[in-house]
Amino acid sequence: MTEMGEKKMTEWEPSELEERIDYRFHNEKLLYQALSHSSFANEHRSEGYLDNERLEFLGDAVLELISSDFLYHHYPDMQEGKLTKLRASLVCEPTLALCAKDIDLSSFLMLGRGEEHTGGRTRNSIVSDAMEALIGAIYLDGGMKPARSFIERFILTDIEHKKLFYDSKTVLQEIVQRDCHQDSIHYVIVGEDGPDHAKTFRAEVEIGGVVAGTGSGSTKKSAEQEAAWQAIQKLGVSGEKNKGCI
């Protein structure tokens, strides 16, 4: 069996991503595994590639622990229920996919031919899973310290902005009801791509009949949430008076 990484299967070098995340792997196999979607691993199993699902499982746990610790110490007066909701907003699929854009993680993904052709590189579910797998890989390779550094640098930033992802539809409804009493909100699924087991839905949100935001996601709800979030950004995150009207 060919050692993973010995036969070049990608157009990028580990150092390209390592420079972006400011971490150099001792074991580059972990980095390759973190970015190997199951569709790719299945096609190249003989070359020694493993999919990233186990690393994703581990990274999810590390992310929850570090984010919980961070919020516990940075929000000493916040009650448990609100802490739970805030944490959920920071580690949900669309937020992690957004964070992944800062390091252009999607361009490093290793996908099977079918997944590549059906837009897997831009699918939030795949990108967010890879983000968690990367956290798991960093943790296994270097321990908790570099994992914490990565999470705090690329995920636990701009919290007030990112927390809107958790329930953007509710936030948008509140803004419009407060500032645009005459306007109604309407969500429309405008398209879907990919196979039945891994669809990507595209949604638009209209405010008073005008398209205010668009989004995509692995479910209709997540696509609508992202569309609502985009609309909130257009209206102004602060939600100041008179900023909520299109």
Side-chain angles (χ1 to χ4, degrees):
M1 180 181 293
T2 304
E3 286 293 322
M4 181 171 58
E6 181 179 321
K7 181 178 179 180
K8 187 170 178 59
M9 302 300 300
T10 66
E11 296 180 356
W12 53 268
E13 297 292 340
S15 59
E16 295 179 55
L17 182 55
E18 289 173 331
E19 289 177 5
R20 298 187 185 199
I21 65 176
D22 194 26
Y23 179 76
R24 188 163 297 280
F25 278 83
H26 303 287
N27 181 1
E28 290 182 349
K29 290 183 180 180
L30 287 170
L31 177 58
Y32 281 108
Q33 183 180 351
L35 299 171
S36 296
H37 186 258
S38 58
S39 61
F40 180 89
N42 289 336
E43 290 181 5
H44 301 285
R45 192 73 64 181
S46 62
E47 282 87 13
Y49 283 87
L50 302 174
D51 66 52
N52 62 6
E53 292 177 1
R54 284 172 54 83
L55 285 177
E56 175 203 341
F57 165 80
L58 179 60
D60 175 69
V62 173
L63 175 58
E64 181 167 336
L65 174 60
I66 292 177
S67 60
S68 297
D69 180 77
F70 180 91
L71 294 176
Y72 180 88
H73 287 96
H74 283 76
Y75 295 85
D77 299 323
M78 186 175 287
Q79 295 300 308
E80 181 271 341
K82 290 186 176 180
L83 284 171
T84 299
K85 183 175 181 179
L86 179 55
R87 182 184 63 195
S89 72
L90 295 173
V91 302
C92 67
E93 177 183 300
T95 304
L96 291 179
L98 176 70
C99 295
K101 291 181 180 179
D102 290 339
I103 55 176
D104 193 22
L105 188 64
S106 64
S107 67
F108 295 93
L109 294 177
M110 296 187 288
L111 306 175
R113 291 184 293 273
E115 200 66 61
E116 184 76 70
H117 292 155
T118 57
R121 195 170 297 279
T122 60
R123 192 168 293 130
N124 280 356
S125 58
I126 291 178
V127 177
S128 63
D129 286 350
M131 192 71 164
E132 290 181 330
L134 181 58
I135 292 170
I138 293 173
Y139 170 75
L140 283 181
D141 190 71
M144 188 63 78
K145 185 176 180 180
R148 178 183 295 272
S149 178
F150 175 86
I151 291 170
E152 291 185 352
R153 179 178 177 183
F154 294 107
I155 298 176
L156 300 178
T157 57
D158 199 12
I159 291 177
E160 291 303 309
H161 188 212
K162 291 174 180 175
K163 73 180 182 180
L164 296 173
F165 265 137
Y166 183 72
D167 197 2
S168 297
K169 293 175 71 172
T170 297
V171 174
L172 181 61
Q173 184 72 39
E174 291 172 351
I175 292 174
V176 172
Q177 286 180 342
R178 184 191 66 205
D179 297 340
C180 312
H181 306 290
Q182 78 282 6
D183 287 342
S184 61
I185 298 178
H186 183 55
Y187 293 90
V188 181
I189 300 299
V190 295
E192 56 184 71
D193 303 297
D196 289 339
H197 70 280
K199 281 190 177 297
T200 296
F201 296 92
R202 300 191 308 278
E204 293 180 347
V205 57
E206 300 177 352
I207 301 178
V210 179
V211 175
T214 61
S216 62
S218 57
T219 65
K220 293 179 180 180
K221 180 179 179 180
S222 63
E224 290 173 352
Q225 289 281 23
E226 184 171 336
W229 183 83
Q230 293 290 348
I232 292 169
Q233 308 317 301
K234 183 177 180 180
L235 299 173
V237 176
S238 64
E240 295 174 4
K241 188 67 176 175
N242 296 325
K243 278 196 172 185
C245 300
I246 298 295

